[in-house]
Each structure stands twice: as structure tokens, then as C-alpha cells.
Amino acid sequence: MNNNVTDKIVVITGASSGLGAEAARHLAGLGGTVVLGARREDRIKTLADSILAKGGKALAIETDVTDRASVQKLVDTAVKTYGRIDVLLNNAGVMPLSPLEKLRVDEWDLMIDVNIKGVLYGIAAALPHMKAQKSGHIINVSSVAGHRVLENSAVYSATKFAVRALSEGLRGEVKPYNMRTTVISPGAVQSELLNGIHDEATAEQLQKFVPNIAIGADSFARCVAFAINQPEDVDINEILFRPTRQQI
Ligand SMILES: NC(=O)c1ccc[n+]([C@@H]2O[C@H](COP(=O)([O-])OP(=O)(O)OC[C@H]3O[C@@H](n4cnc5c(N)ncnc54)[C@H](OP(=O)(O)O)[C@@H]3O)[C@@H](O)[C@H]2O)c1
């Protein structure tokens, strides 16, 4: 295989389902070594086993991105095992949407902890290694909701706007270290994300239309591979994509 994914060490958070799991399969198929992090260890172990069975390279490490030490362990284990980290895909995220007036404050906290602090903990864990290597690529996952505030998505959108701000700040700071930074903002993609909406009216409303327009997670996996696969002097900073049939 001759591409710029082959032989790269790629750490992926939120690799147990949806976009992260599909990116892992795709990158492993292109010859990358994938290090899978998520809380559902059974899922990431099964995924790692299926990649290994196909001749790919994968390692599963139980990870909770709300725990800084856990994210550090994920990244440090990748470096200890393979000698380096080439890509961090900061993908773990939750989306318990609801109107602000419902005051589901625990869910606001959760979105801030996973979607913002989880991304920051990933950056904190990977940056020192990438600085020392003088190479590396951090890919953060935002959303169309990080570009516009949709109904009942005030807090989720706030976290995804934050991911874009962090990504742009990071981009400017890491140039001396020869690092690349990408933020990917997907539209509706098939995954388990809607299962995390516990406000009944919001869940019902979204279940009515999202599954009808959502596209496969392979769409996201190809975007990730596209960004990584560029020659090292090409830095793809932003990708925003939607299903062709998605209007908002
Ligand atoms: N699907 C879409 O339409 C869409 C659109 C725009 C953006 N996104 C973004 O895409 C990313 C992936 O979501 P998805 O759609 O693939 O949803 P998903 O199927 O629900 O996957 C979410 C992933 O995040 C992980 N996660 C959640 N909390 C975590 C924690 N505390 N520690 C570690 N991992 C955690 C989950 O793993 P465990 O539960 O096993 O820990 C799971 O692997 C998210 O950032 C989401 O906001 C998705």
C-alpha cells in the first residue's frame, strides 16, 4: 500500500461506535495502526480483534475522555507500544439535546465535559509527544451544529463552536512543530448519537427526520483519510460536509 496513512499510528477517541468505529476500520484498511479508546471496552476489543483478523494493526484501551489521566494513558500507551503518535482523532462526543428552559443542567455539564474538556485532554496528552517528534496531526470533530445553532441545540452547538475555536487556535500555535490540524464538521451521519437524547419531545422530533436523511459513517471515514493522506506539506484545516439531501 502506498499512501500517507500507511504505517501511521492513529489514536481515536470514541472508537466504540458510529463515526469513530468506521474511521478505525477505514484507516486500518489503508494500512494505519489504530489505537482505539472508549468506555465500552467490549466494543473496542471486538473491533480491534476484527481488524487484526483482517491482517490490520489495532489496540484497544478503555478510555473515559472526561478523565484527564485516562486520556493521557491512552496516548502514552500508544507511544510506548509503537514509539510515536502520528494522528489523534478527537472524536468522542455526546449530544443530549433539549430546550434550555428544561434546565437539564447535568446534560449541559456532560456535553461540556466530553465535547470540550475531552478534546482539550486529548490535545494535552498528544501535544508534548508531537512537539518532540516535530510532526503530528490533530483532528477534532465539530459539527454542522458548530456552524449554526439549530433548534434545542444551544449547549451542544456551544461545545461544537468551541471545538472550532480550539482547532483554529491550535492551528496557529503548532506551526513551529511541523504539525497539522483539521476540524471536521459532519451533517447527519448514521450512528448511535440520537440514543443519548433523553428529552422525549426532542428525541421524538429528531427521530422523525434524522434517520431519513443521515448518510453512512463511511462518509466521515473518507474525510478523515483524505486529511491524513495529503502530503506532509499540505494541511487540510477544515472540512464541512452534509448529506446531499440535508437542507439545514
Ligand atoms: N452522527 C452525526 O450525525 C454527527 C454529526 C456531527 C458531529 N458528530 C460528532 O461525531 C462524533 C462521534 O459521534 P457519533 O455520531 O459517532 O455518535 P456515537 O455512535 O454515539 O459515538 C460516540 C462515541 O463517543 C464515545 N464517548 C462518549 N462519551 C465518552 C467518554 N466519556 N469517554 C470516551 N468516549 C466517550 C462513545 O463511546 P463509549 O460510550 O463506549 O465511551 C462512542 O464511541 C461526536 O463528537 C459527535 O458530536 C456526529
Short mmCIF file of all heavy atoms in Angstrom, two decimals, residues 58-124:
data_model
loop_
_atom_site.label_atom_id
_atom_site.label_comp_id
_atom_site.label_asym_id
_atom_site.label_seq_id
_atom_site.Cartn_x
_atom_site.Cartn_y
_atom_site.Cartn_z
N ALA A 58 -4.21 -3.06 15.38
CA ALA A 58 -5.12 -2.32 16.26
C ALA A 58 -4.87 -2.69 17.71
O ALA A 58 -4.44 -3.81 18.01
CB ALA A 58 -6.57 -2.63 15.90
N LEU A 59 -5.16 -1.73 18.58
CA LEU A 59 -5.02 -1.93 20.02
C LEU A 59 -6.20 -1.22 20.68
O LEU A 59 -6.52 -0.10 20.29
CB LEU A 59 -3.69 -1.29 20.47
CG LEU A 59 -3.30 -1.35 21.93
CD1 LEU A 59 -3.03 -2.79 22.36
CD2 LEU A 59 -2.03 -0.50 22.15
N ALA A 60 -6.83 -1.89 21.67
CA ALA A 60 -7.98 -1.28 22.35
C ALA A 60 -7.60 -0.92 23.79
O ALA A 60 -7.04 -1.74 24.50
CB ALA A 60 -9.16 -2.26 22.35
N ILE A 61 -7.92 0.31 24.17
CA ILE A 61 -7.60 0.76 25.53
C ILE A 61 -8.84 1.48 26.11
O ILE A 61 -9.26 2.52 25.58
CB ILE A 61 -6.39 1.71 25.54
CG1 ILE A 61 -5.17 0.98 24.97
CG2 ILE A 61 -6.10 2.21 26.95
CD1 ILE A 61 -4.06 1.89 24.55
N GLU A 62 -9.39 0.91 27.17
CA GLU A 62 -10.57 1.53 27.79
C GLU A 62 -10.23 2.97 28.19
O GLU A 62 -9.22 3.21 28.86
CB GLU A 62 -10.96 0.71 29.03
CG GLU A 62 -12.23 1.18 29.67
CD GLU A 62 -12.57 0.40 30.94
OE1 GLU A 62 -11.87 -0.58 31.25
OE2 GLU A 62 -13.52 0.80 31.61
N THR A 63 -11.08 3.89 27.77
CA THR A 63 -10.78 5.32 27.98
C THR A 63 -12.05 6.09 28.29
O THR A 63 -13.07 5.91 27.64
CB THR A 63 -10.17 5.94 26.68
OG1 THR A 63 -9.03 5.17 26.29
CG2 THR A 63 -9.75 7.38 26.89
N ASP A 64 -11.96 6.97 29.28
CA ASP A 64 -13.04 7.92 29.55
C ASP A 64 -12.46 9.32 29.32
O ASP A 64 -11.58 9.76 30.06
CB ASP A 64 -13.52 7.76 31.00
CG ASP A 64 -14.68 8.70 31.33
OD1 ASP A 64 -14.91 9.67 30.57
OD2 ASP A 64 -15.36 8.47 32.34
N VAL A 65 -12.95 10.01 28.30
CA VAL A 65 -12.33 11.30 27.95
C VAL A 65 -12.62 12.40 28.97
O VAL A 65 -12.02 13.48 28.88
CB VAL A 65 -12.71 11.78 26.52
CG1 VAL A 65 -12.26 10.81 25.46
CG2 VAL A 65 -14.19 12.12 26.42
N THR A 66 -13.52 12.15 29.92
CA THR A 66 -13.75 13.16 30.96
C THR A 66 -12.71 13.06 32.07
O THR A 66 -12.71 13.86 33.00
CB THR A 66 -15.17 13.03 31.58
OG1 THR A 66 -15.26 11.80 32.30
CG2 THR A 66 -16.25 13.08 30.52
N ASP A 67 -11.84 12.06 31.96
CA ASP A 67 -10.81 11.83 32.97
C ASP A 67 -9.44 12.06 32.31
O ASP A 67 -9.01 11.29 31.45
CB ASP A 67 -10.95 10.37 33.47
CG ASP A 67 -9.85 9.95 34.42
OD1 ASP A 67 -8.92 10.74 34.67
OD2 ASP A 67 -9.94 8.81 34.91
N ARG A 68 -8.79 13.14 32.71
CA ARG A 68 -7.54 13.52 32.04
C ARG A 68 -6.50 12.40 32.08
O ARG A 68 -5.81 12.13 31.08
CB ARG A 68 -6.96 14.80 32.66
CG ARG A 68 -5.74 15.26 31.91
CD ARG A 68 -5.14 16.54 32.44
NE ARG A 68 -3.86 16.75 31.79
CZ ARG A 68 -2.93 17.58 32.20
NH1 ARG A 68 -3.15 18.33 33.26
NH2 ARG A 68 -1.79 17.68 31.55
N ALA A 69 -6.41 11.73 33.23
CA ALA A 69 -5.40 10.66 33.37
C ALA A 69 -5.70 9.50 32.41
O ALA A 69 -4.78 8.87 31.87
CB ALA A 69 -5.38 10.15 34.81
N SER A 70 -6.97 9.25 32.18
CA SER A 70 -7.38 8.16 31.29
C SER A 70 -6.97 8.48 29.83
O SER A 70 -6.48 7.61 29.10
CB SER A 70 -8.90 7.97 31.41
OG SER A 70 -9.35 6.99 30.54
N VAL A 71 -7.15 9.73 29.42
CA VAL A 71 -6.77 10.13 28.06
C VAL A 71 -5.24 10.11 27.92
O VAL A 71 -4.70 9.68 26.90
CB VAL A 71 -7.34 11.52 27.72
CG1 VAL A 71 -6.98 11.90 26.29
CG2 VAL A 71 -8.84 11.55 27.91
N GLN A 72 -4.57 10.55 28.98
CA GLN A 72 -3.10 10.52 28.97
C GLN A 72 -2.61 9.08 28.81
O GLN A 72 -1.67 8.82 28.04
CB GLN A 72 -2.57 11.11 30.30
CG GLN A 72 -1.07 11.35 30.31
CD GLN A 72 -0.66 12.52 29.43
OE1 GLN A 72 -1.19 13.62 29.57
NE2 GLN A 72 0.27 12.29 28.52
N LYS A 73 -3.28 8.16 29.52
CA LYS A 73 -2.88 6.75 29.45
C LYS A 73 -3.09 6.20 28.02
O LYS A 73 -2.25 5.46 27.49
CB LYS A 73 -3.70 5.93 30.46
CG LYS A 73 -3.29 4.48 30.52
CD LYS A 73 -4.06 3.73 31.61
CE LYS A 73 -4.21 2.28 31.22
NZ LYS A 73 -5.54 1.75 31.41
N LEU A 74 -4.19 6.59 27.40
CA LEU A 74 -4.46 6.15 26.02
C LEU A 74 -3.32 6.56 25.09
O LEU A 74 -2.75 5.74 24.36
CB LEU A 74 -5.79 6.77 25.54
CG LEU A 74 -6.12 6.62 24.06
CD1 LEU A 74 -6.48 5.17 23.73
CD2 LEU A 74 -7.29 7.54 23.67
N VAL A 75 -2.96 7.83 25.15
CA VAL A 75 -1.93 8.35 24.26
C VAL A 75 -0.55 7.78 24.63
O VAL A 75 0.22 7.35 23.75
CB VAL A 75 -1.93 9.90 24.27
CG1 VAL A 75 -0.70 10.46 23.58
CG2 VAL A 75 -3.21 10.43 23.62
N ASP A 76 -0.25 7.77 25.91
CA ASP A 76 1.07 7.27 26.35
C ASP A 76 1.24 5.79 26.01
O ASP A 76 2.35 5.36 25.65
CB ASP A 76 1.27 7.49 27.85
CG ASP A 76 1.49 8.96 28.19
OD1 ASP A 76 1.66 9.77 27.26
OD2 ASP A 76 1.48 9.28 29.40
N THR A 77 0.16 5.02 26.12
CA THR A 77 0.26 3.59 25.77
C THR A 77 0.54 3.42 24.28
O THR A 77 1.32 2.56 23.87
CB THR A 77 -1.03 2.84 26.16
OG1 THR A 77 -1.31 3.09 27.54
CG2 THR A 77 -0.89 1.34 25.94
N ALA A 78 -0.11 4.26 23.47
CA ALA A 78 0.16 4.21 22.02
C ALA A 78 1.63 4.49 21.75
O ALA A 78 2.29 3.78 20.98
CB ALA A 78 -0.73 5.22 21.29
N VAL A 79 2.16 5.52 22.40
CA VAL A 79 3.56 5.91 22.16
C VAL A 79 4.51 4.83 22.68
O VAL A 79 5.50 4.48 22.03
CB VAL A 79 3.86 7.28 22.82
CG1 VAL A 79 5.34 7.62 22.73
CG2 VAL A 79 3.02 8.38 22.15
N LYS A 80 4.18 4.27 23.85
CA LYS A 80 5.03 3.23 24.44
C LYS A 80 5.04 1.98 23.55
O LYS A 80 6.06 1.35 23.34
CB LYS A 80 4.46 2.87 25.82
CG LYS A 80 5.49 2.44 26.82
CD LYS A 80 4.86 2.46 28.21
CE LYS A 80 5.53 1.44 29.09
NZ LYS A 80 4.78 1.23 30.32
N THR A 81 3.88 1.66 23.01
CA THR A 81 3.75 0.42 22.22
C THR A 81 4.37 0.57 20.84
O THR A 81 5.04 -0.34 20.35
CB THR A 81 2.25 0.04 22.07
OG1 THR A 81 1.66 0.04 23.37
CG2 THR A 81 2.09 -1.34 21.44
N TYR A 82 4.14 1.72 20.21
CA TYR A 82 4.53 1.86 18.80
C TYR A 82 5.65 2.89 18.57
O TYR A 82 6.09 3.08 17.44
CB TYR A 82 3.31 2.25 17.96
CG TYR A 82 2.20 1.23 18.04
CD1 TYR A 82 1.02 1.51 18.72
CD2 TYR A 82 2.33 -0.04 17.44
CE1 TYR A 82 -0.01 0.58 18.81
CE2 TYR A 82 1.31 -0.98 17.53
CZ TYR A 82 0.15 -0.66 18.22
OH TYR A 82 -0.85 -1.59 18.31
N GLY A 83 6.05 3.59 19.64
CA GLY A 83 7.19 4.51 19.51
C GLY A 83 6.83 5.92 19.12
O GLY A 83 7.67 6.81 19.18
N ARG A 84 5.57 6.17 18.73
CA ARG A 84 5.20 7.53 18.32
C ARG A 84 3.67 7.64 18.21
O ARG A 84 2.96 6.63 18.29
CB ARG A 84 5.82 7.86 16.96
CG ARG A 84 5.52 6.85 15.84
CD ARG A 84 6.32 7.12 14.59
NE ARG A 84 5.91 8.35 13.94
CZ ARG A 84 6.69 9.43 13.89
NH1 ARG A 84 7.88 9.42 14.42
NH2 ARG A 84 6.27 10.53 13.28
N ILE A 85 3.18 8.84 18.05
CA ILE A 85 1.77 9.07 17.71
C ILE A 85 1.75 10.02 16.52
O ILE A 85 2.28 11.14 16.60
CB ILE A 85 0.93 9.61 18.90
CG1 ILE A 85 -0.47 10.02 18.43
CG2 ILE A 85 1.62 10.76 19.62
CD1 ILE A 85 -1.41 10.46 19.55
N ASP A 86 1.16 9.58 15.43
CA ASP A 86 1.13 10.44 14.23
C ASP A 86 -0.16 11.24 14.14
O ASP A 86 -0.15 12.37 13.64
CB ASP A 86 1.28 9.57 12.98
CG ASP A 86 2.64 8.89 12.95
OD1 ASP A 86 3.66 9.60 13.00
OD2 ASP A 86 2.69 7.65 12.92
N VAL A 87 -1.27 10.63 14.57
CA VAL A 87 -2.56 11.31 14.44
C VAL A 87 -3.38 11.08 15.72
O VAL A 87 -3.41 9.96 16.23
CB VAL A 87 -3.38 10.76 13.25
CG1 VAL A 87 -4.70 11.52 13.10
CG2 VAL A 87 -2.59 10.82 11.94
N LEU A 88 -4.00 12.14 16.21
CA LEU A 88 -5.02 12.00 17.25
C LEU A 88 -6.35 12.42 16.63
O LEU A 88 -6.48 13.57 16.18
CB LEU A 88 -4.71 12.88 18.46
CG LEU A 88 -5.85 12.97 19.48
CD1 LEU A 88 -6.12 11.61 20.14
CD2 LEU A 88 -5.57 14.02 20.55
N LEU A 89 -7.31 11.51 16.59
CA LEU A 89 -8.66 11.83 16.14
C LEU A 89 -9.53 12.01 17.39
O LEU A 89 -9.94 11.05 18.02
CB LEU A 89 -9.21 10.72 15.23
CG LEU A 89 -10.65 10.86 14.73
CD1 LEU A 89 -10.90 12.19 14.03
CD2 LEU A 89 -11.01 9.69 13.79
N ASN A 90 -9.74 13.27 17.76
CA ASN A 90 -10.52 13.65 18.94
C ASN A 90 -12.00 13.59 18.55
O ASN A 90 -12.60 14.59 18.18
CB ASN A 90 -10.17 15.10 19.31
CG ASN A 90 -9.26 15.19 20.51
OD1 ASN A 90 -9.33 14.37 21.43
ND2 ASN A 90 -8.43 16.23 20.53
N ASN A 91 -12.58 12.40 18.64
CA ASN A 91 -13.91 12.18 18.06
C ASN A 91 -15.02 11.97 19.10
O ASN A 91 -16.18 12.21 18.80
CB ASN A 91 -13.81 10.97 17.12
CG ASN A 91 -15.15 10.37 16.78
OD1 ASN A 91 -15.89 10.93 15.97
ND2 ASN A 91 -15.49 9.25 17.40
N ALA A 92 -14.67 11.52 20.30
CA ALA A 92 -15.71 11.20 21.30
C ALA A 92 -16.63 12.40 21.49
O ALA A 92 -16.16 13.54 21.59
CB ALA A 92 -15.06 10.81 22.63
N GLY A 93 -17.93 12.14 21.54
CA GLY A 93 -18.87 13.24 21.74
C GLY A 93 -20.24 12.74 22.15
O GLY A 93 -20.58 11.58 21.92
N VAL A 94 -21.00 13.61 22.80
CA VAL A 94 -22.37 13.29 23.19
C VAL A 94 -23.28 14.45 22.79
O VAL A 94 -22.82 15.59 22.70
CB VAL A 94 -22.49 13.02 24.71
CG1 VAL A 94 -21.78 11.73 25.10
CG2 VAL A 94 -21.95 14.19 25.53
N MET A 95 -24.58 14.14 22.57
CA MET A 95 -25.49 15.17 22.08
C MET A 95 -26.89 15.05 22.72
O MET A 95 -27.87 14.84 22.01
CB MET A 95 -25.60 15.05 20.55
CG MET A 95 -26.33 16.19 19.88
SD MET A 95 -26.61 15.95 18.10
CE MET A 95 -27.85 14.65 18.09
N PRO A 96 -26.96 15.19 24.05
CA PRO A 96 -28.30 15.14 24.68
C PRO A 96 -29.03 16.47 24.53
O PRO A 96 -29.05 17.30 25.44
CB PRO A 96 -27.96 14.83 26.15
CG PRO A 96 -26.58 15.35 26.35
CD PRO A 96 -25.89 15.31 25.03
N LEU A 97 -29.64 16.66 23.37
CA LEU A 97 -30.28 17.94 23.05
C LEU A 97 -31.55 18.15 23.87
O LEU A 97 -32.27 17.20 24.19
CB LEU A 97 -30.66 17.99 21.56
CG LEU A 97 -29.55 17.81 20.55
CD1 LEU A 97 -30.12 17.88 19.13
CD2 LEU A 97 -28.47 18.86 20.73
N SER A 98 -31.83 19.41 24.16
CA SER A 98 -33.09 19.78 24.84
C SER A 98 -33.20 21.29 24.84
O SER A 98 -32.18 21.98 24.69
CB SER A 98 -33.12 19.26 26.28
OG SER A 98 -32.10 19.89 27.04
N PRO A 99 -34.41 21.84 25.02
CA PRO A 99 -34.53 23.29 25.15
C PRO A 99 -33.89 23.75 26.47
O PRO A 99 -33.98 23.03 27.47
CB PRO A 99 -36.04 23.54 25.20
CG PRO A 99 -36.70 22.24 24.92
CD PRO A 99 -35.71 21.15 25.11
N LEU A 100 -33.27 24.91 26.45
CA LEU A 100 -32.63 25.43 27.68
C LEU A 100 -33.62 25.51 28.84
O LEU A 100 -33.27 25.22 29.99
CB LEU A 100 -32.05 26.82 27.42
CG LEU A 100 -30.78 26.88 26.56
CD1 LEU A 100 -30.47 28.32 26.19
CD2 LEU A 100 -29.60 26.24 27.27
N GLU A 101 -34.87 25.87 28.55
CA GLU A 101 -35.83 26.08 29.65
C GLU A 101 -36.14 24.80 30.42
O GLU A 101 -36.67 24.85 31.53
CB GLU A 101 -37.13 26.69 29.11
CG GLU A 101 -37.89 25.78 28.18
CD GLU A 101 -39.22 26.38 27.74
OE1 GLU A 101 -39.77 27.20 28.47
OE2 GLU A 101 -39.68 26.01 26.65
N LYS A 102 -35.76 23.64 29.86
CA LYS A 102 -35.95 22.38 30.62
C LYS A 102 -34.90 22.22 31.72
O LYS A 102 -34.99 21.33 32.55
CB LYS A 102 -35.89 21.18 29.67
CG LYS A 102 -37.01 21.13 28.63
CD LYS A 102 -38.20 20.33 29.12
CE LYS A 102 -39.29 20.23 28.09
NZ LYS A 102 -39.19 19.08 27.21
N LEU A 103 -33.87 23.06 31.68
CA LEU A 103 -32.84 23.08 32.74
C LEU A 103 -32.22 21.70 32.99
O LEU A 103 -32.03 21.31 34.14
CB LEU A 103 -33.41 23.64 34.05
CG LEU A 103 -33.99 25.06 34.00
CD1 LEU A 103 -34.40 25.51 35.39
CD2 LEU A 103 -33.00 26.05 33.40
N ARG A 104 -31.88 21.00 31.94
CA ARG A 104 -31.23 19.69 32.10
C ARG A 104 -29.72 19.94 32.30
O ARG A 104 -28.88 19.62 31.45
CB ARG A 104 -31.53 18.81 30.89
CG ARG A 104 -33.05 18.54 30.73
CD ARG A 104 -33.36 17.70 29.53
NE ARG A 104 -33.03 16.30 29.73
CZ ARG A 104 -33.87 15.35 30.07
NH1 ARG A 104 -35.16 15.63 30.27
NH2 ARG A 104 -33.49 14.11 30.22
N VAL A 105 -29.43 20.53 33.45
CA VAL A 105 -28.09 21.07 33.70
C VAL A 105 -27.03 19.95 33.75
O VAL A 105 -25.89 20.15 33.32
CB VAL A 105 -28.08 21.92 35.00
CG1 VAL A 105 -26.68 22.43 35.32
CG2 VAL A 105 -29.04 23.10 34.85
N ASP A 106 -27.41 18.77 34.24
CA ASP A 106 -26.45 17.65 34.26
C ASP A 106 -26.01 17.30 32.84
O ASP A 106 -24.86 16.95 32.61
CB ASP A 106 -27.07 16.41 34.92
CG ASP A 106 -27.21 16.58 36.42
OD1 ASP A 106 -26.64 17.55 36.96
OD2 ASP A 106 -27.90 15.75 37.04
N GLU A 107 -26.96 17.41 31.89
CA GLU A 107 -26.61 17.12 30.49
C GLU A 107 -25.74 18.23 29.89
O GLU A 107 -24.89 17.97 29.05
CB GLU A 107 -27.88 16.90 29.67
CG GLU A 107 -28.63 15.65 30.11
CD GLU A 107 -29.87 15.34 29.27
OE1 GLU A 107 -30.34 16.24 28.52
OE2 GLU A 107 -30.37 14.23 29.38
N TRP A 108 -25.97 19.48 30.32
CA TRP A 108 -25.08 20.57 29.87
C TRP A 108 -23.66 20.27 30.34
O TRP A 108 -22.70 20.40 29.57
CB TRP A 108 -25.51 21.93 30.44
CG TRP A 108 -26.92 22.37 30.17
CD1 TRP A 108 -27.84 21.76 29.35
CD2 TRP A 108 -27.58 23.50 30.73
NE1 TRP A 108 -29.02 22.44 29.38
CE2 TRP A 108 -28.90 23.52 30.22
CE3 TRP A 108 -27.20 24.50 31.62
CZ2 TRP A 108 -29.82 24.52 30.56
CZ3 TRP A 108 -28.12 25.49 31.97
CH2 TRP A 108 -29.41 25.49 31.44
N ASP A 109 -23.56 19.88 31.62
CA ASP A 109 -22.23 19.58 32.18
C ASP A 109 -21.57 18.45 31.40
O ASP A 109 -20.38 18.49 31.10
CB ASP A 109 -22.35 19.18 33.66
CG ASP A 109 -22.63 20.37 34.57
OD1 ASP A 109 -22.38 21.51 34.15
OD2 ASP A 109 -23.13 20.14 35.69
N LEU A 110 -22.37 17.42 31.10
CA LEU A 110 -21.82 16.26 30.38
C LEU A 110 -21.28 16.68 29.01
O LEU A 110 -20.17 16.27 28.61
CB LEU A 110 -22.90 15.17 30.22
CG LEU A 110 -22.44 13.91 29.50
CD1 LEU A 110 -21.42 13.14 30.35
CD2 LEU A 110 -23.63 13.00 29.17
N MET A 111 -22.05 17.50 28.29
CA MET A 111 -21.58 17.93 26.95
C MET A 111 -20.30 18.75 27.05
O MET A 111 -19.40 18.60 26.23
CB MET A 111 -22.69 18.73 26.24
CG MET A 111 -23.79 17.83 25.71
SD MET A 111 -24.99 18.71 24.69
CE MET A 111 -26.15 19.28 25.91
N ILE A 112 -20.24 19.60 28.08
CA ILE A 112 -19.01 20.40 28.26
C ILE A 112 -17.84 19.48 28.61
O ILE A 112 -16.74 19.60 28.07
CB ILE A 112 -19.24 21.48 29.34
CG1 ILE A 112 -20.20 22.55 28.80
CG2 ILE A 112 -17.91 22.10 29.79
CD1 ILE A 112 -20.80 23.46 29.87
N ASP A 113 -18.10 18.50 29.48
CA ASP A 113 -17.02 17.59 29.92
C ASP A 113 -16.51 16.72 28.77
O ASP A 113 -15.31 16.52 28.62
CB ASP A 113 -17.50 16.71 31.07
CG ASP A 113 -17.64 17.49 32.37
OD1 ASP A 113 -17.14 18.63 32.44
OD2 ASP A 113 -18.26 16.96 33.32
N VAL A 114 -17.42 16.16 27.99
CA VAL A 114 -17.00 15.24 26.92
C VAL A 114 -16.55 16.02 25.68
O VAL A 114 -15.45 15.80 25.15
CB VAL A 114 -18.15 14.27 26.54
CG1 VAL A 114 -17.74 13.38 25.36
CG2 VAL A 114 -18.56 13.41 27.74
N ASN A 115 -17.39 16.95 25.23
CA ASN A 115 -17.17 17.57 23.91
C ASN A 115 -16.08 18.65 23.92
O ASN A 115 -15.42 18.87 22.90
CB ASN A 115 -18.47 18.19 23.38
CG ASN A 115 -19.59 17.18 23.21
OD1 ASN A 115 -19.41 15.99 23.45
ND2 ASN A 115 -20.76 17.63 22.82
N ILE A 116 -15.92 19.33 25.06
CA ILE A 116 -14.87 20.37 25.13
C ILE A 116 -13.67 19.87 25.94
O ILE A 116 -12.55 19.80 25.43
CB ILE A 116 -15.38 21.69 25.76
CG1 ILE A 116 -16.57 22.24 24.98
CG2 ILE A 116 -14.24 22.73 25.75
CD1 ILE A 116 -17.15 23.53 25.55
N LYS A 117 -13.93 19.49 27.19
CA LYS A 117 -12.79 19.11 28.03
C LYS A 117 -12.14 17.82 27.52
O LYS A 117 -10.91 17.68 27.58
CB LYS A 117 -13.23 19.00 29.49
CG LYS A 117 -13.55 20.37 30.08
CD LYS A 117 -14.14 20.31 31.46
CE LYS A 117 -13.11 20.05 32.54
NZ LYS A 117 -13.73 20.05 33.90
N GLY A 118 -12.94 16.92 26.98
CA GLY A 118 -12.38 15.69 26.41
C GLY A 118 -11.41 16.00 25.26
O GLY A 118 -10.33 15.41 25.16
N VAL A 119 -11.80 16.96 24.42
CA VAL A 119 -10.92 17.36 23.30
C VAL A 119 -9.65 18.02 23.85
O VAL A 119 -8.54 17.74 23.39
CB VAL A 119 -11.70 18.32 22.35
CG1 VAL A 119 -10.76 19.02 21.38
CG2 VAL A 119 -12.78 17.55 21.58
N LEU A 120 -9.82 18.86 24.86
CA LEU A 120 -8.64 19.53 25.46
C LEU A 120 -7.70 18.50 26.10
O LEU A 120 -6.47 18.61 25.97
CB LEU A 120 -9.09 20.54 26.51
CG LEU A 120 -9.60 21.86 25.95
CD1 LEU A 120 -10.30 22.68 27.04
CD2 LEU A 120 -8.47 22.67 25.33
N TYR A 121 -8.27 17.51 26.77
CA TYR A 121 -7.42 16.48 27.40
C TYR A 121 -6.65 15.70 26.32
O TYR A 121 -5.50 15.32 26.52
CB TYR A 121 -8.26 15.52 28.25
CG TYR A 121 -8.86 16.13 29.49
CD1 TYR A 121 -9.96 15.53 30.12
CD2 TYR A 121 -8.34 17.30 30.06
CE1 TYR A 121 -10.51 16.08 31.27
CE2 TYR A 121 -8.91 17.86 31.20
CZ TYR A 121 -10.00 17.24 31.81
OH TYR A 121 -10.56 17.78 32.94
N GLY A 122 -7.30 15.48 25.19
CA GLY A 122 -6.61 14.81 24.07
C GLY A 122 -5.44 15.65 23.58
O GLY A 122 -4.33 15.15 23.38
N ILE A 123 -5.69 16.96 23.42
CA ILE A 123 -4.61 17.86 22.98
C ILE A 123 -3.49 17.86 24.02
O ILE A 123 -2.31 17.76 23.68
CB ILE A 123 -5.18 19.29 22.76
CG1 ILE A 123 -6.12 19.31 21.55
CG2 ILE A 123 -4.04 20.30 22.57
CD1 ILE A 123 -6.94 20.58 21.39
N ALA A 124 -3.85 17.93 25.30
CA ALA A 124 -2.83 17.97 26.36
C ALA A 124 -1.98 16.70 26.35
O ALA A 124 -0.78 16.75 26.64
CB ALA A 124 -3.51 18.14 27.73
#
